[in-house]
Amino acid sequence: MESKLRTIAKAITWQALGLAVTGALAWFHTGNMATALSFALSTAASGLAFFVVHERLWARVRWGIDR
């Protein structure tokens, strides 16, 4: 099982990548940097929270882990 700190570090780096991509796509579609940033930050925050919960739940599942 990985540590909680490792899970959080993975979530943060994944969300940073997602923030950049979502922000760029939102800017492309809206043409408005403020709207794009607002949208990207809200999706990043919710994605981060759900990713941590998802990873911690999967850390409890023994299926597919060779010992």
Side-chain angles (χ1 to χ4, degrees), residues 2-66:
E2 66 183 38
S3 71
K4 290 179 184 177
L5 185 57
R6 178 180 164 86
T7 302
I8 292 169
K10 285 171 47 180
I12 290 169
T13 58
W14 177 251
Q15 284 308 125
L17 177 62
L19 178 64
V21 171
T22 303
L25 288 171
W27 187 25
F28 175 77
H29 286 285
T30 66
N32 184 305
M33 181 61 82
T35 300
L37 185 58
S38 174
F39 180 75
L41 288 173
S42 65
T43 60
S46 62
L48 176 64
F50 284 108
F51 182 82
V52 170
V53 170
H54 178 262
E55 284 289 310
R56 296 313 297 166
L57 289 172
W58 267 101
R60 296 172 181 256
V61 175
R62 298 291 174 229
W63 173 78
I65 298 175
D66 292 331

